[in-house]
Amino acid sequence: MKRNGKHIAIALTIAMMLPGTSGTALAASPEIHPSLSATVTKSEEKLPERATQIVAALEKLEPALKALTKRTIVKSEIDEKLLKLYLRSPESNDMGATVVFDSKTGELFMYSASFPIWKQGEIATDEVILQRAEKAVLELLGADKRKQIGSPILSNAVEEVDSEVLTDPLAIYRIVYYPKLLNGLEILGNGTGIYVATDYAGHILEVSSTTD
């Protein structure tokens, strides 16, 4: 699977959801969306308490993440204020997740997981996906962060296909976008807010925030 393709497709989908937003401006950078195949080395870094709580919340939201027992913590190569936690399956290189935290506060900067962690085929209703996205925002980013964003906007189903094969989709996912609030008004068109991507069954694939 071309994992970077998922992030680019997500960015383009967000661009289509937001009038006046440039797809280029939302293109995933290596720091915001680290490659799940990145080479990492052992580190003596430790997670702040808040980050540890977020990992526990993630595992409660998505119990399958507990099986990703190969874990490495490293400082960001680009921003030393960030810590990256790599979670990998001991059985498959295709099954992994990356969680990025503020190194001081432990607050979540970004979470991203690969499709193969969950079996595909199940289809969740719009209501279920919105409920799971809302729970993820509250559990991972907190109630204060939730107050800074407006009502969720749910994308249509998005298919990721292999550009070389162009047959059956590799995966189908949805995106929930929460626009930033300014003086009680939703700010649309500039891409600021919170994004939650799920697979078609509602499993949380990605959470990122651009509210600051």
Side-chain angles (χ1 to χ4, degrees), residues 55-74:
V55 173
L58 268 172
E59 292 179 336
K60 186 174 181 180
L61 285 168
E62 298 294 352
L65 295 176
K66 295 179 181 179
L68 307 180
T69 55
K70 293 175 62 177
R71 303 189 176 191
T72 308
I73 306 168
V74 298

Side-chain angles (χ1 to χ4, degrees), residues 7 10 28 40 74 96 107 159 169 181 201 204 211:
H7 299 307
I10 287 176
V40 297
V74 298
E107 292 296 339
E159 293 186 356
L181 289 177
I204 307 299
T211 57

Side-chain angles (χ1 to χ4, degrees), residues 2-184:
K2 293 177 172 55
R3 300 178 185 84
N4 289 340
K6 179 193 73 170
H7 299 307
I8 294 171
I10 287 176
L12 292 174
T13 300
I14 292 168
M16 290 186 288
M17 293 168 65
L18 302 174
T21 299
S22 166
T24 302
L26 289 171
S29 72
E31 183 56 52
I32 294 176
H33 299 301
S35 170
L36 291 177
S37 61
T39 300
V40 297
T41 56
K42 293 298 181 181
S43 170
E44 297 301 323
E45 300 294 333
K46 296 186 181 300
L47 292 178
E49 181 179 355
R50 173 59 181 154
T52 301
Q53 294 171 352
I54 290 173
V55 173
L58 268 172
E59 292 179 336
K60 186 174 181 180
L61 285 168
E62 298 294 352
L65 295 176
K66 295 179 181 179
L68 307 180
T69 55
K70 293 175 62 177
R71 303 189 176 191
T72 308
I73 306 168
V74 298
K75 282 186 177 180
S76 167
E77 315 85 52
I78 298 176
D79 188 344
E80 63 180 12
K81 295 179 182 178
L82 298 177
L83 281 178
K84 296 195 285 189
L85 169 65
Y86 293 99
L87 302 89
R88 299 289 180 270
S89 167
E91 301 176 354
S92 172
N93 290 329
D94 289 332
M95 296 172 62
T98 302
V99 196
V100 185
F101 304 97
D102 183 295
S103 60
K104 291 185 177 180
T105 66
E107 292 296 339
L108 180 69
F109 180 77
M110 189 279 302
Y111 154 78
S112 180
S114 59
F115 287 112
I117 296 173
W118 300 278
K119 292 181 179 179
Q120 304 300 309
E122 186 180 351
I123 299 177
T125 64
D126 290 0
E127 182 181 6
V128 168
I129 289 174
L130 287 169
Q131 288 175 348
R132 289 186 58 78
E134 185 74 15
K135 189 172 183 179
V137 169
L138 289 171
E139 294 289 335
L140 305 179
L141 297 173
D144 288 343
K145 203 78 167 180
R146 180 63 183 92
K147 294 176 183 177
Q148 301 174 29
I149 54 177
S151 301
I153 301 171
L154 178 63
S155 76
N156 293 325
V158 181
E159 293 186 356
E160 181 190 356
V161 297
D162 189 323
S163 60
E164 297 176 1
V165 180
L166 298 177
T167 54
D168 294 334
L170 296 173
I172 303 175
Y173 56 89
R174 310 290 297 277
I175 299 167
V176 183
Y177 167 63
Y178 294 81
K180 182 178 180 178
L181 289 177
L182 181 62
N183 297 324

